[in-house]
Amino acid sequence: MITFDEAQQFFHLKNDQVSYIIGIEKGKYLTHRYFGPALTSYHGSNQLQLIGWGFATNPIPEERNFSLTTLPLETSTNGSLDYRISNYRFLNSAGEGVTAFEYADYRILTGKPQPASLPSLRGTDAQTLQITLRDEIQKLSQVLSYTIYPDQPVITRSVTYRNDSQQDICLEQAGSLLLDFPSKDFDFVTLDGSHTDEANITRTPLRSGIQAVSSIRGTSSPQHQPFLALADPHATENQGNVYAFHLVYSGNFLAQAEVEQYGSTRVQLGIHPENFSWKLSPGTEFQTPEAVLNFSDSGFNKMSQTFHQLYQARLVPEFWQKKERPVLLNTWEGNYFSFTEADLLKQAAQAKELGIELFVLDDGWFGKRDDDTTSLGDWQPDTAKLPNGISGLAQKIHALDLLFGLWFEPEMISRNSHLFRQHPEWVLQVADYPMTEGRQQLVLDLSQTAVQDFLIEMLSSYLKDGHVDYIKWDMNRHLTEVGNRLLPPDRQKEISHRYVLGLYRILDTVTGRFPQALFENCSSGGGRFDPGMMAYMPQTWTSDNSDALCRSRIQSGYSYLYPPIMMGAHVSDVPNHQVGRITPLETRGLIAMSGNFGYELALQEQTAEDLAIIRQQIAFYKKHRQLLQFGEFYRLQLPDQTFSCGWLFKNENEALLIYSHGLAQPSQPIRQLRLQYLDSEADYLETGSGERFSGSELNYAGISIPRLKGDFQSFCRHFQKITEA
């Protein structure tokens, strides 16, 4: 899949879906020549335009037309020759930031080297190109790694920065990816939002200058996903070119595109340089997070299909790749902090009778946790609520033939806790400044090995006896006063990244010890929904907002990148606890089962009619669980101004259409919804009505949307492919 043309000095990474081509100019400079549909061969038809632009700098004085100022590059220069955004920055002991990296050599490897401390995609069947650049003046090197996979239109990239000198040097920016496109005719696409309003699809035309999304909160954040895409202006869900970039990282990030003066576009992605530096002692190196480059020639749905298949096959823990997820009941909105063991056992028995498979005890079970002001860090059961402890409760839950799950917020600590009184030095802090609280809690300093070890052993103690089958890992505030008294002054700006590395060490150790335990990632919902976390936890609580209308948009946005099986989605009570909206139970069920399905409500307060509906929903979900969890997912209609949306789940033999009508409108227009992705050569049975349709008519003529009166109505249609005897 990787070749090097010695005569033309081109590297060509290629499978049957994509090509990526890198050139070497003047024996020194790496140029970007092509990224797009697979080419049978490449001979430089799109030759570089060498023009003597004004204010250009010339590395070869007598060649006035050759300048790095406008050359399409694979990595930036720094401090000389190139004025566009940079991918890296070194600062030496003299305070100088100029470097001069030149091409040195390359290696082509079978498979994909896995970094020791960072999550990344698996790829034993892949090939990897490693290109080494060196700065011989300061004895620095960077190794650019490119991996191509046999079955996806994807390249993954990362960089290793190394100090081969005899002096310390400071790495002040450590980007994972830089790529120059020869055009500016793109839309800039991102996923943006806030707590309870995550994953809004934002699409604007590229303009001159820099457009960026980022996080300096210590996490990937609900405000911006570590993702951007450049899309053809005419690209739709099923046509047009889309170039998507996603960072496998859970901390501070910067994703940006710059349109420069002559119409090219530079994309850069990596750790955010603000409040970052890394001291490289002689002989040491720094490994960046992995960036995923995803090309689609058929619009956003193909982009999403690629991400879904890629992450499910090559990123999530292998034990959970094809394992069905249980239907759960989470106690939070039904109980909050107020419960007893007897209450929980009654709810669990009722849950079992309805068909629920996993009972999850959320916050309030430990310390003296009667509200959110105390006890984080004191992970011992509150015997006033649970006289038989967690193990006693879990044994009784298991006796009902239910799995048992437990909520933790391991990274946080309450000032009012035994742990804080014992170890105040374990908290992120800056000398002489107050430790700022958020939600009346502080952040444990995961950069400290002692803190990591404490959390590893604490979590292991709950998992080792088999009483806990599932852990919901929450994180409800962002990082402030990011410092400690252990590292010297010249390493304080390493702590944000060291925090993330500490988090990954904890997760890697615990999930490695207990691979059959199901972990759900949560950060007040989607506050840290990113590929880095997905490498350890195969699902994420998508949003604290469980309102069906809001969720139709949030889940549509996240589906750009993640399959439904990764998105926790619960049916909650009405009026909804976040927005106060009342929606039909049928609609709440269909929206929730379009993700990783569960309930979060007070079962004991439901009417007999509603309990009957819940029982039917669970039976329907279990009947179609393989399709909903592992089928291909397509957006047929993104939520519009009325919040109407349509989703399709399909596999080789069947398909399920889920349509949410949103807000009722007067004089509702007549609509047909084209299913688009069925087998046009086959016939399908609509199992509800018994009617038979051709795949081609469902794809192109579509189905008529029935007239739905009232807000928030919904319906589903199941189609079974007909196989003639």
Side-chain angles (χ1 to χ4, degrees):
M1 294 183 286
I2 302 175
T3 58
F4 180 57
D5 187 321
E6 187 76 40
Q8 297 188 96
Q9 295 285 283
F10 294 136
F11 296 98
H12 190 169
L13 293 81
K14 175 193 171 189
N15 58 28
D16 61 0
Q17 299 183 63
V18 70
S19 281
Y20 191 104
I21 295 171
I22 305 162
I24 305 172
E25 297 300 315
K26 309 294 185 183
K28 297 181 179 181
Y29 308 112
L30 285 187
T31 57
H32 177 71
R33 303 306 298 271
Y34 178 80
F35 176 36
L39 307 178
T40 56
S41 62
Y42 179 77
H43 304 283
S45 61
N46 58 340
Q47 60 186 340
L48 298 176
Q49 298 295 302
L50 303 180
I51 300 171
W53 300 109
F55 293 100
T57 52
N58 310 113
I60 305 170
E62 60 272 19
E63 294 190 28
R64 296 281 296 274
N65 289 346
F66 184 81
S67 172
L68 300 191
T69 309
T70 56
L71 208 63
L73 298 174
E74 286 288 319
T75 186
S76 56
T77 66
N78 206 68
S80 65
L81 305 176
D82 181 10
Y83 300 99
R84 293 164 288 179
I85 53 179
S86 182
N87 197 43
Y88 63 89
R89 177 178 170 81
F90 288 93
L91 193 68
N92 63 25
S93 58
E96 299 162 341
V98 175
T99 50
F101 284 96
E102 298 179 355
Y103 170 75
D105 55 47
Y106 76 93
R107 294 194 304 162
I108 296 174
L109 307 176
T110 299
K112 177 175 183 287
Q114 297 295 111
S117 56
L118 287 165
S120 71
L121 274 65
R122 296 180 291 272
T124 55
D125 57 347
Q127 279 190 296
T128 299
L129 170 65
Q130 293 185 335
I131 302 177
T132 299
L133 307 175
R134 289 201 177 92
D135 179 335
E136 295 295 353
I137 297 171
Q138 296 191 73
K139 305 301 180 187
L140 307 173
S141 64
Q142 53 178 299
V143 179
L144 279 57
S145 292
Y146 303 77
T147 298
I148 185 167
Y149 306 83
D151 54 352
Q152 297 284 5
V154 164
I155 307 291
T156 53
R157 290 186 56 179
S158 65
V159 185
T160 304
Y161 299 98
R162 183 174 178 84
N163 179 11
D164 295 315
S165 76
Q166 299 302 309
Q167 299 180 348
D168 293 341
I169 195 162
C170 182
L171 181 62
E172 292 201 317
Q173 181 178 358
S176 300
L177 157 75
L178 184 136
L179 176 60
D180 286 338
F181 288 91
S183 170
K184 64 176 181 179
D185 298 326
F186 296 110
D187 285 349
F188 184 73
V189 183
T190 56
L191 296 180
D192 312 305
S194 65
H195 174 232
T196 70
D197 187 29
E198 299 91 342
N200 294 274
I201 301 167
T202 304
R203 181 173 179 176
T204 57
L206 272 182
R207 54 173 174 76
S208 180
I210 300 171
Q211 292 117 101
V213 292
S214 66
S215 172
I216 54 170
R217 294 170 171 267
T219 73
S220 50
S221 86
Q223 283 72 29
H224 302 289
Q225 181 71 198
F227 155 83
L228 70 84
L230 299 183
D232 289 346
H234 65 271
T236 65
E237 286 286 70
N238 55 18
Q239 67 179 17
N241 290 340
V242 180
Y243 303 85
F245 308 89
H246 205 192
L247 192 65
V248 185
Y249 189 60
S250 307
N252 297 334
F253 76 91
L254 175 63
Q256 55 185 336
E258 179 182 16
V259 175
E260 59 87 55
Q261 59 187 327
Y262 301 115
S264 69
T265 302
R266 171 167 289 185
V267 173
Q268 191 272 328
L269 185 62
I271 296 172
H272 203 300
E274 185 169 335
N275 296 320
F276 169 85
S277 69
W278 198 268
K279 183 178 178 180
L280 286 176
S281 302
T284 63
E285 62 186 29
F286 182 90
Q287 173 64 50
T288 72
E290 186 169 71
V292 180
L293 292 70
N294 174 1
F295 170 72
S296 168
D297 59 1
S298 300
F300 291 98
N301 261 322
K302 182 179 177 183
M303 173 198 78
S304 299
Q305 280 294 306
T306 297
F307 277 128
H308 295 182
Q309 295 165 15
L310 186 76
Y311 290 162
Q312 193 66 15
R314 298 183 181 274
L315 186 63
V316 302
E318 293 185 77
F319 180 84
W320 292 101
Q321 282 179 9
K322 299 180 181 179
K323 191 169 181 61
E324 288 185 349
R325 308 295 199 274
V327 180
L328 66 81
L329 173 69
N330 182 288
T331 64
W332 178 240
E333 288 195 15
N335 296 274
Y336 292 109
F337 296 101
S338 179
F339 55 82
T340 65
E341 182 183 272
D343 296 333
L344 298 176
L345 291 172
K346 286 179 184 178
Q347 294 167 33
Q350 189 174 14
K352 174 63 180 177
E353 193 274 330
L354 292 170
I356 286 167
E357 300 159 315
L358 166 62
F359 184 83
V360 179
L361 175 56
D362 208 280
D363 198 354
W365 59 268
F366 55 93
K368 298 300 178 184
R369 185 77 166 173
D370 296 320
D371 56 38
D372 63 3
T373 67
T374 181
S375 299
L376 287 172
D378 296 344
W379 299 108
Q380 296 83 35
D382 180 352
T383 54
K385 295 177 182 177
L386 304 174
N388 299 297
I390 290 298
S391 61
L393 174 63
Q395 289 173 22
K396 293 173 183 177
I397 298 293
H398 285 159
L400 294 171
D401 196 26
L402 286 169
L403 299 171
F404 178 67
L406 199 56
W407 177 95
F408 290 88
E409 193 172 2
E411 298 162 73
M412 300 298 153
I413 184 170
S414 300
R415 197 182 288 269
N416 183 11
S417 68
H418 295 300
L419 185 66
F420 180 77
R421 289 186 283 273
Q422 292 168 356
H423 291 289
E425 76 281 3
W426 280 7
V427 175
L428 285 173
Q429 56 192 283
V430 175
D432 302 325
Y433 284 85
M435 290 180 265
T436 305
E437 295 186 26
R439 296 179 83 248
Q440 290 190 267
Q441 60 194 56
L442 301 166
V443 184
L444 286 172
D445 180 6
L446 266 59
S447 73
Q448 297 186 37
T449 303
V451 176
Q452 298 166 26
D453 291 342
F454 167 78
L455 293 177
I456 288 169
E457 295 312 313
M458 182 275 292
L459 291 164
S460 296
S461 71
Y462 282 95
L463 290 166
K464 67 183 179 182
D465 58 10
H467 291 150
V468 177
D469 307 289
Y470 159 108
I471 284 179
K472 180 179 177 182
W473 180 302
D474 212 344
M475 189 222 191
N476 289 314
R477 64 153 293 186
H478 292 144
L479 277 54
T480 56
E481 289 85 50
V482 182
N484 64 37
R485 303 183 184 187
L486 301 179
L487 290 175
D490 60 354
R491 289 193 178 273
Q492 287 295 308
K493 292 174 77 174
E494 297 179 6
I495 293 176
S496 289
H497 182 60
R498 288 181 180 273
Y499 183 101
V500 178
L501 295 180
L503 171 66
Y504 289 156
R505 176 181 173 244
I506 296 166
L507 294 176
D508 186 62
T509 303
V510 176
T511 60
R513 287 180 182 178
F514 308 100
Q516 298 183 28
L518 177 58
F519 281 79
E520 179 161 300
N521 170 40
C522 177
S523 179
S524 289
R528 195 167 57 188
F529 196 159
D530 60 64
M533 297 301 290
M534 210 58 64
Y536 308 101
M537 303 186 182
Q539 59 195 57
T540 292
W541 176 232
T542 312
S543 176
D544 278 349
N545 186 348
S546 56
D547 170 68
L549 194 69
C550 294
R551 272 302 190 101
S552 68
R553 184 197 48 72
I554 293 170
Q555 290 171 213
S556 288
Y558 274 127
S559 76
Y560 260 38
L561 306 173
Y562 307 103
I565 193 173
M566 293 184 180
M567 290 187 268
H570 298 171
V571 177
S572 60
D573 263 325
V574 291
N576 176 263
H577 290 199
Q578 290 77 48
V579 299
R581 185 178 288 119
I582 297 175
T583 55
L585 180 55
E586 292 83 354
T587 295
R588 283 178 274 152
L590 285 176
I591 296 298
M593 68 179 64
S594 300
N596 204 320
F597 187 45
Y599 291 83
E600 189 168 333
L601 41 69
L603 286 178
Q604 66 275 15
E605 296 177 9
Q606 307 304 306
T607 66
E609 180 183 0
D610 283 348
L611 289 173
I613 294 172
I614 289 172
R615 187 179 291 106
Q616 292 168 4
Q617 288 176 343
I618 293 171
F620 179 87
Y621 183 77
K622 289 179 178 178
K623 180 178 179 180
H624 299 290
R625 175 157 36 193
Q626 271 290 319
L627 175 60
L628 288 163
Q629 293 191 354
F630 299 101
E632 298 173 5
F633 173 85
Y634 297 94
R635 298 172 299 274
L636 300 181
Q637 179 185 319
L638 283 168
D640 58 15
Q641 66 273 17
T642 69
F643 283 84
S644 297
C645 72
W647 297 329
L648 183 74
F649 297 80
K650 69 171 281 280
N651 60 27
E652 193 64 33
N653 301 310
E654 58 180 332
L656 184 68
L657 166 67
I658 291 179
Y659 188 87
S660 176
H661 195 53
L663 300 172
Q665 297 295 306
S667 303
Q668 177 182 316
I670 297 171
R671 277 188 185 171
Q672 281 78 41
L673 187 66
R674 296 184 298 116
L675 303 193
Q676 301 182 61
Y677 300 100
L678 304 186
D679 183 352
S680 291
E681 302 301 316
D683 282 358
Y684 288 83
L685 180 71
E686 203 276 281
T687 56
S689 66
E691 295 180 274
R692 179 171 179 156
F693 304 99
S694 70
S696 57
E697 68 178 305
L698 292 171
N699 283 342
Y700 305 121
I703 67 167
S704 295
I705 301 298
R707 185 174 177 82
L708 299 171
K709 291 187 177 182
D711 290 336
F712 324 127
Q713 302 300 307
S714 59
F715 68 88
C716 68
R717 298 284 186 271
H718 179 253
F719 300 91
Q720 186 75 45
K721 184 188 285 189
I722 296 171
T723 54
E724 303 293 355

